[in-house]
Amino acid sequence: MNLQNLFNELEQVDGDFIGRMEHVSRRGLFSALTKKTVAVAAPTILASALNNAYGQGMMLPDNVVDVLNFALTLEYLEYRFYDIGNNLTMIPSQYKPAFELIRQHEELHVKLLKKVLGSKAIAEPKFDFTAKGMFPDVFSNFQTFAAVSQAFEDTGVRAYKGQAPNLMNAKPILETALQIHSTEATHAARIRFLRGQKGWIPLASPSGLPPAVGAMVYKGEDNVTQKNINLAGILNGLVPLEGITEAYDEPLTKEEVLEIVKPFLA
Amino acid sequence: MHNSTQTAPETASVQRRSFLRTVGAAAVTGGILTACSTADLQVSPSGARAAAPGDIITLPGGDLGILNYAFVLEQLEARFYEMVLANPYSGITAMEMQIFQDLRNHEVTHRAFYRTALGGAGIPDLTFDFSSINFRQRTDVLEASRMFAEVGTAAYTGGGKYLTDPENLKVAGKIVSLEARHVAIIREMEYMNQTAFSGDNIVMDGLFIKMEPSEVLPKAQKYILEKIDGRNLPTAVA
């Protein structure tokens, strides 16, 4: 591997690359290329590798383009939601760091997906965060804002999970999707917790969301059968049913996700 | 990296550095488990015998290897939380007790799933040594919980690409987000109302860290009295 070329390339793809490596001086960059710096740079290197491997969307298989644009739609939704919220004063100060971090992550996800998709990336749609009037005070009432946030995050986790098998013919992209998926799960747990919910999903409980929304967002979360094994039978008396269902997040199909998201599209 | 979001106290950054250093060291010493066993996975026909300290357990290759690798981690976590509940630290709150009860329920469920799903192809019940953890100390318990959850999440996140059967990927995907939820909540218990729940030592550029089996196994091995040999595990995607 020619590191000089690699880093030159990274700077071209990502002009801020050296800035991201701020703890490593530019002069010391190559001599100090320890495992640690590789670990820190890995996501950026990955984005570059994906671009090289797939030619900025030109060579991506159609099924992968579909999955990534579907993911990009959800990331646009989340990013725009937090970006608007970030400018408002309704978020209590103790929760601001959490929402600001999540906003940054969603922005990074949007950028990464757009970079990988290149010219095949869809444009950002227009959103209606009141969901056609279902949440009229979404940007003036923190409780409503947090509830919508929870719905987005738990839906995001379940949406990526549902698409993972469709990325098995593009392993580097599958791995990146799994990394985003794990990140979304940390967001979901934090938002649930600050709303007084468990960080995980018990049964198919609406978890404090309006029943109609909760029924869609948590549909199927009461499943106790994994790979044809009925865990409720095996763990009867050892783990309560609620705990068994919490132990697995269930996937949502693309259609199920779009049904949840549809009211938020203007 | 995104310093504007890094509001965790100094101890967090010390932990971040030491975590990364350990990851690095683990990567360098990956393949340390070269003890002399050429046997395939050592299990009894029932797959349920307890292993004995010093046994060498050689994981197979392919999907079966990755699932057994996950089973090692689930056994470790389940046993750890059983210990936490049996020895609650002083001053534990009702809410914290409930969280640890939930964590125990999840990991016991995962362990039972792998035991049944793998059947005779599953590794034996492992023997653990948690004597390096002071279960009476809240900080020790949270620190260990955090480490196990982070390594578990990173292991599934990095291991998923090696699975070739979509059904296996599906079930691993259902578990990995749970492990990530654990990370967020444990970190929230440690550093309330900050950014630690998804902090930039576990999520870099918006991506949760991933780890290879060769990085993960030495970290788990510290607590396991049998030797886990991962040499046959996949190292390149199909």
Side-chain angles (χ1 to χ4, degrees), chain B residues 123-138:
Chain B
I123 56 167
D125 293 342
L126 301 172
T127 322
F128 297 100
D129 176 5
F130 294 115
S131 60
S132 59
I133 300 164
N134 181 353
F135 284 89
R136 299 293 177 195
Q137 281 287 344
R138 181 179 187 273

PDB file of all heavy atoms in Angstrom, chain B residues 123-138:
ATOM      1  N   ILE B 123     -19.956 -24.619  20.985  1.00  0.00           N
ATOM      2  CA  ILE B 123     -18.870 -24.801  21.954  1.00  0.00           C
ATOM      3  C   ILE B 123     -19.463 -25.174  23.317  1.00  0.00           C
ATOM      4  O   ILE B 123     -20.634 -24.906  23.580  1.00  0.00           O
ATOM      5  CB  ILE B 123     -18.017 -23.524  22.115  1.00  0.00           C
ATOM      6  CG1 ILE B 123     -18.898 -22.324  22.497  1.00  0.00           C
ATOM      7  CG2 ILE B 123     -17.216 -23.249  20.857  1.00  0.00           C
ATOM      8  CD1 ILE B 123     -18.128 -21.126  22.966  1.00  0.00           C
ATOM      9  N   PRO B 124     -18.658 -25.794  24.171  1.00  0.00           N
ATOM     10  CA  PRO B 124     -19.147 -26.149  25.511  1.00  0.00           C
ATOM     11  C   PRO B 124     -19.402 -24.899  26.354  1.00  0.00           C
ATOM     12  O   PRO B 124     -19.055 -23.781  25.956  1.00  0.00           O
ATOM     13  CB  PRO B 124     -17.990 -26.951  26.112  1.00  0.00           C
ATOM     14  CG  PRO B 124     -17.039 -27.213  25.011  1.00  0.00           C
ATOM     15  CD  PRO B 124     -17.265 -26.185  23.965  1.00  0.00           C
ATOM     16  N   ASP B 125     -20.005 -25.125  27.516  1.00  0.00           N
ATOM     17  CA  ASP B 125     -20.152 -24.033  28.482  1.00  0.00           C
ATOM     18  C   ASP B 125     -18.763 -23.654  28.987  1.00  0.00           C
ATOM     19  O   ASP B 125     -18.024 -24.509  29.484  1.00  0.00           O
ATOM     20  CB  ASP B 125     -21.022 -24.482  29.664  1.00  0.00           C
ATOM     21  CG  ASP B 125     -22.456 -24.743  29.230  1.00  0.00           C
ATOM     22  OD1 ASP B 125     -22.835 -24.265  28.140  1.00  0.00           O
ATOM     23  OD2 ASP B 125     -23.183 -25.428  29.970  1.00  0.00           O
ATOM     24  N   LEU B 126     -18.437 -22.397  28.883  1.00  0.00           N
ATOM     25  CA  LEU B 126     -17.095 -21.946  29.256  1.00  0.00           C
ATOM     26  C   LEU B 126     -17.009 -21.663  30.756  1.00  0.00           C
ATOM     27  O   LEU B 126     -18.027 -21.490  31.432  1.00  0.00           O
ATOM     28  CB  LEU B 126     -16.735 -20.690  28.465  1.00  0.00           C
ATOM     29  CG  LEU B 126     -16.756 -20.848  26.944  1.00  0.00           C
ATOM     30  CD1 LEU B 126     -16.577 -19.495  26.255  1.00  0.00           C
ATOM     31  CD2 LEU B 126     -15.671 -21.829  26.494  1.00  0.00           C
ATOM     32  N   THR B 127     -15.777 -21.611  31.244  1.00  0.00           N
ATOM     33  CA  THR B 127     -15.520 -21.295  32.648  1.00  0.00           C
ATOM     34  C   THR B 127     -14.902 -19.903  32.712  1.00  0.00           C
ATOM     35  O   THR B 127     -13.953 -19.616  31.983  1.00  0.00           O
ATOM     36  CB  THR B 127     -14.519 -22.308  33.256  1.00  0.00           C
ATOM     37  OG1 THR B 127     -14.797 -23.607  32.735  1.00  0.00           O
ATOM     38  CG2 THR B 127     -14.629 -22.333  34.764  1.00  0.00           C
ATOM     39  N   PHE B 128     -15.437 -19.062  33.578  1.00  0.00           N
ATOM     40  CA  PHE B 128     -14.994 -17.665  33.605  1.00  0.00           C
ATOM     41  C   PHE B 128     -14.282 -17.305  34.899  1.00  0.00           C
ATOM     42  O   PHE B 128     -14.531 -17.891  35.948  1.00  0.00           O
ATOM     43  CB  PHE B 128     -16.201 -16.734  33.397  1.00  0.00           C
ATOM     44  CG  PHE B 128     -16.833 -16.920  32.057  1.00  0.00           C
ATOM     45  CD1 PHE B 128     -17.978 -17.688  31.911  1.00  0.00           C
ATOM     46  CD2 PHE B 128     -16.265 -16.366  30.922  1.00  0.00           C
ATOM     47  CE1 PHE B 128     -18.542 -17.894  30.659  1.00  0.00           C
ATOM     48  CE2 PHE B 128     -16.824 -16.567  29.664  1.00  0.00           C
ATOM     49  CZ  PHE B 128     -17.968 -17.334  29.546  1.00  0.00           C
ATOM     50  N   ASP B 129     -13.418 -16.338  34.787  1.00  0.00           N
ATOM     51  CA  ASP B 129     -12.719 -15.795  35.955  1.00  0.00           C
ATOM     52  C   ASP B 129     -12.872 -14.278  35.940  1.00  0.00           C
ATOM     53  O   ASP B 129     -12.217 -13.585  35.166  1.00  0.00           O
ATOM     54  CB  ASP B 129     -11.237 -16.182  35.895  1.00  0.00           C
ATOM     55  CG  ASP B 129     -10.452 -15.541  37.040  1.00  0.00           C
ATOM     56  OD1 ASP B 129     -11.075 -14.892  37.917  1.00  0.00           O
ATOM     57  OD2 ASP B 129      -9.215 -15.685  37.038  1.00  0.00           O
ATOM     58  N   PHE B 130     -13.768 -13.793  36.792  1.00  0.00           N
ATOM     59  CA  PHE B 130     -13.998 -12.351  36.874  1.00  0.00           C
ATOM     60  C   PHE B 130     -13.331 -11.754  38.111  1.00  0.00           C
ATOM     61  O   PHE B 130     -13.762 -10.722  38.619  1.00  0.00           O
ATOM     62  CB  PHE B 130     -15.506 -12.057  36.897  1.00  0.00           C
ATOM     63  CG  PHE B 130     -16.221 -12.407  35.620  1.00  0.00           C
ATOM     64  CD1 PHE B 130     -17.177 -13.411  35.598  1.00  0.00           C
ATOM     65  CD2 PHE B 130     -15.954 -11.717  34.447  1.00  0.00           C
ATOM     66  CE1 PHE B 130     -17.849 -13.724  34.424  1.00  0.00           C
ATOM     67  CE2 PHE B 130     -16.621 -12.023  33.263  1.00  0.00           C
ATOM     68  CZ  PHE B 130     -17.576 -13.029  33.254  1.00  0.00           C
ATOM     69  N   SER B 131     -12.295 -12.420  38.606  1.00  0.00           N
ATOM     70  CA  SER B 131     -11.694 -11.972  39.871  1.00  0.00           C
ATOM     71  C   SER B 131     -11.022 -10.606  39.748  1.00  0.00           C
ATOM     72  O   SER B 131     -10.770  -9.940  40.752  1.00  0.00           O
ATOM     73  CB  SER B 131     -10.681 -13.022  40.366  1.00  0.00           C
ATOM     74  OG  SER B 131      -9.656 -13.188  39.407  1.00  0.00           O
ATOM     75  N   SER B 132     -10.756 -10.167  38.515  1.00  0.00           N
ATOM     76  CA  SER B 132     -10.144  -8.838  38.354  1.00  0.00           C
ATOM     77  C   SER B 132     -11.172  -7.718  38.503  1.00  0.00           C
ATOM     78  O   SER B 132     -10.813  -6.542  38.516  1.00  0.00           O
ATOM     79  CB  SER B 132      -9.468  -8.746  36.983  1.00  0.00           C
ATOM     80  OG  SER B 132     -10.417  -8.957  35.952  1.00  0.00           O
ATOM     81  N   ILE B 133     -12.433  -8.081  38.613  1.00  0.00           N
ATOM     82  CA  ILE B 133     -13.495  -7.073  38.739  1.00  0.00           C
ATOM     83  C   ILE B 133     -14.015  -7.055  40.169  1.00  0.00           C
ATOM     84  O   ILE B 133     -14.375  -8.105  40.718  1.00  0.00           O
ATOM     85  CB  ILE B 133     -14.663  -7.395  37.771  1.00  0.00           C
ATOM     86  CG1 ILE B 133     -14.171  -7.391  36.318  1.00  0.00           C
ATOM     87  CG2 ILE B 133     -15.805  -6.396  37.957  1.00  0.00           C
ATOM     88  CD1 ILE B 133     -15.126  -8.046  35.344  1.00  0.00           C
ATOM     89  N   ASN B 134     -14.045  -5.878  40.776  1.00  0.00           N
ATOM     90  CA  ASN B 134     -14.601  -5.749  42.125  1.00  0.00           C
ATOM     91  C   ASN B 134     -16.096  -5.469  41.996  1.00  0.00           C
ATOM     92  O   ASN B 134     -16.509  -4.340  41.723  1.00  0.00           O
ATOM     93  CB  ASN B 134     -13.897  -4.620  42.873  1.00  0.00           C
ATOM     94  CG  ASN B 134     -14.433  -4.461  44.291  1.00  0.00           C
ATOM     95  OD1 ASN B 134     -15.418  -5.109  44.671  1.00  0.00           O
ATOM     96  ND2 ASN B 134     -13.791  -3.618  45.074  1.00  0.00           N
ATOM     97  N   PHE B 135     -16.893  -6.504  42.173  1.00  0.00           N
ATOM     98  CA  PHE B 135     -18.337  -6.370  41.963  1.00  0.00           C
ATOM     99  C   PHE B 135     -19.005  -5.472  42.996  1.00  0.00           C
ATOM    100  O   PHE B 135     -20.151  -5.086  42.821  1.00  0.00           O
ATOM    101  CB  PHE B 135     -18.999  -7.754  41.932  1.00  0.00           C
ATOM    102  CG  PHE B 135     -18.756  -8.493  40.637  1.00  0.00           C
ATOM    103  CD1 PHE B 135     -17.640  -9.310  40.489  1.00  0.00           C
ATOM    104  CD2 PHE B 135     -19.620  -8.348  39.566  1.00  0.00           C
ATOM    105  CE1 PHE B 135     -17.400  -9.973  39.295  1.00  0.00           C
ATOM    106  CE2 PHE B 135     -19.387  -9.003  38.357  1.00  0.00           C
ATOM    107  CZ  PHE B 135     -18.268  -9.823  38.224  1.00  0.00           C
ATOM    108  N   ARG B 136     -18.289  -5.144  44.079  1.00  0.00           N
ATOM    109  CA  ARG B 136     -18.874  -4.269  45.102  1.00  0.00           C
ATOM    110  C   ARG B 136     -18.727  -2.794  44.730  1.00  0.00           C
ATOM    111  O   ARG B 136     -19.284  -1.926  45.381  1.00  0.00           O
ATOM    112  CB  ARG B 136     -18.204  -4.516  46.465  1.00  0.00           C
ATOM    113  CG  ARG B 136     -18.374  -5.939  46.984  1.00  0.00           C
ATOM    114  CD  ARG B 136     -19.823  -6.231  47.326  1.00  0.00           C
ATOM    115  NE  ARG B 136     -20.016  -7.620  47.753  1.00  0.00           N
ATOM    116  CZ  ARG B 136     -21.192  -8.214  47.842  1.00  0.00           C
ATOM    117  NH1 ARG B 136     -22.299  -7.569  47.551  1.00  0.00           N
ATOM    118  NH2 ARG B 136     -21.282  -9.474  48.232  1.00  0.00           N
ATOM    119  N   GLN B 137     -17.915  -2.517  43.713  1.00  0.00           N
ATOM    120  CA  GLN B 137     -17.633  -1.138  43.320  1.00  0.00           C
ATOM    121  C   GLN B 137     -18.426  -0.751  42.077  1.00  0.00           C
ATOM    122  O   GLN B 137     -18.269  -1.355  41.020  1.00  0.00           O
ATOM    123  CB  GLN B 137     -16.148  -0.965  43.000  1.00  0.00           C
ATOM    124  CG  GLN B 137     -15.241  -0.829  44.203  1.00  0.00           C
ATOM    125  CD  GLN B 137     -15.372   0.513  44.896  1.00  0.00           C
ATOM    126  OE1 GLN B 137     -15.911   1.460  44.329  1.00  0.00           O
ATOM    127  NE2 GLN B 137     -14.910   0.592  46.137  1.00  0.00           N
ATOM    128  N   ARG B 138     -19.255   0.273  42.182  1.00  0.00           N
ATOM    129  CA  ARG B 138     -20.061   0.718  41.051  1.00  0.00           C
ATOM    130  C   ARG B 138     -19.192   1.026  39.828  1.00  0.00           C
ATOM    131  O   ARG B 138     -19.503   0.619  38.708  1.00  0.00           O
ATOM    132  CB  ARG B 138     -20.864   1.967  41.441  1.00  0.00           C
ATOM    133  CG  ARG B 138     -21.767   2.508  40.341  1.00  0.00           C
ATOM    134  CD  ARG B 138     -22.553   3.727  40.833  1.00  0.00           C
ATOM    135  NE  ARG B 138     -23.549   4.168  39.876  1.00  0.00           N
ATOM    136  CZ  ARG B 138     -23.322   5.020  38.878  1.00  0.00           C
ATOM    137  NH1 ARG B 138     -22.109   5.519  38.711  1.00  0.00           N
ATOM    138  NH2 ARG B 138     -24.285   5.371  38.053  1.00  0.00           N
TER     139      ARG B 138
END
